[in-house]
Amino acid sequence: MNCPPTKAAKVRPPLQGNPRRTRQEHSQEIALDYVELIAELIATTGAARVTNLARRLGVTHVTVNRTIQRLQRGGLVNAQPYRSILLTEAGRKLSEESRRRHEIVVEFLKSLGVPDAVAHLDAEGMEHHVSRKTLSAFVKHLERCGRHQPPQ
Amino acid sequence: MNCPPTKAAKVRPPLQGNPRRTRQEHSQEIALDYVELIAELIATTGAARVTNLARRLGVTHVTVNRTIQRLQRGGLVNAQPYRSILLTEAGRKLSEESRRRHEIVVEFLKSLGVPDAVAHLDAEGMEHHVSRKTLSAFVKHLERCGRHQPPQ
DNA sequence: CCATATTTGTAGCCTGTGCTACATTTTAGC
DNA sequence: GCTAAAATGTAGCACAGGCTACAAATATGG
């Protein structure tokens, strides 16, 4: 494997700048949404089927299928044809972190007086962009303010 | 089945479910990042050049180029080869909304005790997922807690 | 137990974002 | 003014996420 002259892979510069770029983050967000939902479906209905996921995610079963394949390559799920999708240990762990984070964000928003439905919707988008530090600031705020104070 | 099997465009069902799906949102987020940055570069340096954008976004100039083409198709920017990129009226408007939103989120996070650097970083990811209602809850919180310098 | 409905899988297309490699145009220096 | 460097543009590849159309497996109801 001495580098064939063809390409040489050109050492890429550290790629500093805004780390949020790198499309990869987007697919990681999607992965989290999937494992979170798979865990939920298993918990509530006993199984995570492709069609269920598709309906819940608002995409076709084809999209789900391919994403599941990717997650399997990444070692997050364990899927066999025509069977319910299972989470690996890694997937389960990830789903729990994700769920915890999700719930904190929801609670936090509600504590600000954001209506339930909106809180859930926004949390879904925000949760993947909340750093550890910000998350703990949310927790601290929740502790300070006791619980959720209704709007008005 | 006299329906001509060829194409028929099949009326797509409403595609309810989680509206956050629909990959399109992702490219919309990127569009906002671009117009926001273009506005900033014009404001601070007088011009928005491809290379500048690329450096700031942490991607290659090629990626910037193609995205700019897409934004131009969408009527947000006005670009001529080898010239500085200009915002259209629509682009300017969008960039201002985006900036305002961004600043509110940053101020809000800071008011919770999140360190400046983290606040900026997280805001960049979060800002695209904060609904109007949540945003106004942020504003209300800022007002309640004093340190509000409303980003006009 | 078989016919049909539902679910799941596969093929193939499009778009968007990322890249490298290379071509072209501007800009700077001499 | 001309040459070299920098900036910009173009071609073409890879991958992810979206889709429709169609095929195959599984479930369900006579």
Side-chain angles (χ1 to χ4, degrees):
Chain A
M1 296 129 243
N2 44 3
C3 291
T6 39
K7 233 2 358 126
K10 175 89 66 130
V11 203
R12 202 187 316 166
L15 204 283
Q16 33 30 319
N18 184 344
R20 173 166 124 60
R21 299 296 113 237
T22 70
R23 164 186 63 136
Q24 186 180 327
E25 288 195 16
H26 184 228
S27 78
Q28 174 63 6
E29 290 171 28
I30 290 192
L32 287 177
D33 287 343
Y34 272 75
V35 293
E36 208 177 332
L37 183 51
I38 289 168
E40 185 197 320
L41 286 175
I42 290 176
T44 61
T45 74
R49 310 303 308 237
V50 170
T51 305
N52 268 334
L53 286 164
R55 271 197 281 261
R56 287 288 296 269
L57 294 167
V59 299
T60 65
H61 77 277
V62 185
T63 300
V64 170
N65 226 303
R66 266 223 310 246
T67 304
I68 294 298
Q69 286 171 14
R70 183 168 68 77
L71 296 185
Q72 186 154 33
R73 283 200 303 276
L76 293 178
V77 307
N78 201 330
Q80 287 178 301
Y82 300 100
R83 290 288 125 88
S84 171
I85 295 139
L86 303 174
L87 290 176
T88 62
E89 198 38 48
R92 197 163 12 250
K93 206 163 164 184
L94 214 57
S95 80
E96 268 155 35
E97 280 171 32
S98 195
R99 184 162 111 64
R100 178 173 162 277
R101 171 175 298 249
H102 182 86
E103 285 180 1
I104 290 173
V105 175
V106 169
E107 278 312 305
F108 174 75
L109 291 179
K110 292 205 295 196
S111 84
L112 290 176
V114 176
D116 270 40
V118 179
H120 277 93
L121 231 54
D122 284 16
E124 207 151 322
M126 289 169 58
E127 63 182 7
H128 304 303
H129 301 279
V130 173
S131 66
R132 287 184 59 79
K133 283 194 178 163
T134 296
L135 197 67
S136 70
F138 284 4
V139 170
K140 217 176 288 177
H141 178 270
L142 281 171
E143 282 161 0
R144 260 203 317 272
C145 299
R147 280 282 104 165
H148 149 229
Q149 47 188 17
Q152 284 290 352
Chain B
M1 42 168 104
N2 44 7
C3 282
T6 39
K7 216 33 332 181
K10 178 84 66 119
V11 201
R12 202 187 316 168
L15 204 285
Q16 33 32 319
N18 183 343
R20 172 167 126 59
R21 299 293 114 240
T22 69
R23 166 187 62 137
Q24 185 179 328
E25 290 195 15
H26 185 228
S27 79
Q28 175 63 5
E29 290 170 29
I30 290 193
L32 288 177
D33 287 344
Y34 271 75
V35 294
E36 207 177 333
L37 182 51
I38 290 168
E40 185 196 319
L41 286 175
I42 290 176
T44 61
T45 73
R49 309 305 307 237
V50 170
T51 305
N52 269 334
L53 285 165
R55 272 197 280 260
R56 286 289 295 270
L57 294 168
V59 297
T60 65
H61 77 276
V62 184
T63 299
V64 170
N65 227 301
R66 265 221 310 242
T67 304
I68 294 298
Q69 286 171 12
R70 184 170 67 77
L71 296 185
Q72 185 154 34
R73 283 200 303 277
L76 293 178
V77 307
N78 202 331
Q80 286 177 302
Y82 300 101
R83 290 289 125 87
S84 171
I85 294 138
L86 303 175
L87 289 176
T88 61
E89 198 39 46
R92 196 161 17 248
K93 205 163 166 186
L94 214 57
S95 80
E96 269 155 35
E97 280 172 31
S98 194
R99 186 166 106 75
R100 176 172 163 279
R101 171 175 297 248
H102 181 87
E103 286 179 1
I104 289 174
V105 175
V106 169
E107 281 310 307
F108 174 75
L109 291 180
K110 292 206 295 196
S111 84
L112 289 177
V114 176
D116 271 40
V118 178
H120 277 93
L121 230 54
D122 284 14
E124 208 151 322
M126 290 169 58
E127 64 182 3
H128 304 303
H129 302 279
V130 173
S131 67
R132 287 184 58 78
K133 284 195 177 163
T134 296
L135 197 66
S136 71
F138 285 4
V139 170
K140 217 176 288 179
H141 178 270
L142 282 170
E143 281 161 0
R144 265 204 310 273
C145 299
R147 46 294 228 203
H148 188 213
Q149 21 190 4
Q152 174 46 337

